[in-house]
Amino acid sequence: MAKDASIRRYSADELAARRRRGEGLTDWNRVDAQRDDSLEASVARDPDAGDVDIDWSTVEIGLPKPKRDIHMKVDADVLEWFKAQGKGYQTRMNAILRAFYEQRR
């Protein structure tokens, strides 16, 4: 996965120090001054802002179920592929297993 040169990483302490110094890239005065009709027009022009119709009736509120540690043998090439996708490979593997489980149960 290629890294975006415009993305900068900061620790929580570094971010707190930047906020104390008033540093940031967001023009909050411009944001605060923007009227609703201007904001709606801006969203309408955004090609990534499609109509989102969320069915909130299916949302479950609560804490996720605790996970259990297991030892599992996985083919080396499969494991290396997941690891090559970056941090969180075990979470992605779990998500794929969950999707399979949800479909079959």
Side-chain angles (χ1 to χ4, degrees), residues 9-12 16 18 21 26 33 35 42 45 49 56 65-67 93-95 98 102-103 105:
R9 299 184 188 280
Y10 297 99
S11 70
R18 287 177 60 87
R21 292 190 303 264
T26 303
R35 297 187 347 233
S42 176
R45 288 189 305 271
W56 291 103
K65 295 178 179 93
K67 293 183 171 53
M93 292 173 81
N94 186 66
R98 172 156 294 286
E102 293 290 341
Q103 188 217 15
R105 70 178 179 141

Side-chain angles (χ1 to χ4, degrees), residues 30 34-47 49:
R30 186 178 68 110
Q34 192 169 23
R35 297 187 347 233
D36 287 347
D37 55 341
S38 172
L39 179 60
E40 289 172 10
S42 176
V43 170
R45 288 189 305 271
D46 185 346

Side-chain angles (χ1 to χ4, degrees), residues 17-70:
R18 287 177 60 87
R19 279 193 294 274
R20 281 192 300 273
R21 292 190 303 264
E23 294 177 10
L25 300 176
T26 303
D27 183 353
W28 291 110
N29 291 329
R30 186 178 68 110
V31 171
D32 291 339
Q34 192 169 23
R35 297 187 347 233
D36 287 347
D37 55 341
S38 172
L39 179 60
E40 289 172 10
S42 176
V43 170
R45 288 189 305 271
D46 185 346
D48 293 329
D51 289 334
V52 177
D53 190 19
I54 299 173
D55 180 8
W56 291 103
S57 67
T58 62
V59 173
E60 294 180 25
I61 299 173
L63 296 173
K65 295 178 179 93
K67 293 183 171 53
R68 294 176 51 190
D69 289 328
I70 65 167

